[in-house]
Amino acid sequence: MKSTDKQERKETPIFSGVLMYFPEALAAVAQASYAGQMQHNPDKPLAWDRSKSGDELDALVRHLLQAGDIDTDGIRHSAKIAWRALANLQKELEREQNK
């Protein structure tokens, strides 16, 4: 989102409306992102490899069934749920923008 509209920017408080509300949760999602990178592309810089990430909702539900538990890689299933939900939302927004 790159808006030059002052009111729209004011109504999108990314820092105070998201980061400040969920600092530990977002750190856990960042750790899940890093663990995924180390699993799929350990020799490359951190980046979302969309070619290996196409089933967000199915993966989200698989992790949802184990919410509250820690996955075998030491990452919370709930952090992976949040990552998959964000990935799905990002793709939805991009599709809408590209219409």
Side-chain angles (χ1 to χ4, degrees), residues 37-94:
Q37 176 73 22
M38 292 301 102
Q39 177 184 354
H40 297 293
N41 294 308
D43 56 332
K44 296 182 180 174
L46 184 61
W48 180 9
D49 185 348
R50 292 180 180 218
S51 70
K52 296 179 182 176
S53 177
D55 64 339
E56 274 72 37
L57 297 178
D58 283 330
L60 186 154
V61 171
R62 285 193 304 272
H63 291 295
L64 189 58
L65 293 172
Q66 296 179 22
D69 293 337
I70 307 294
D71 204 345
T72 57
D73 60 1
I75 303 296
R76 293 183 170 279
H77 285 285
S78 294
K80 293 179 179 187
I81 292 165
W83 193 97
R84 292 294 185 159
L86 289 168
N88 182 67
L89 178 57
Q90 181 67 35
K91 287 181 176 181
E92 282 182 12
L93 294 170
E94 288 171 1

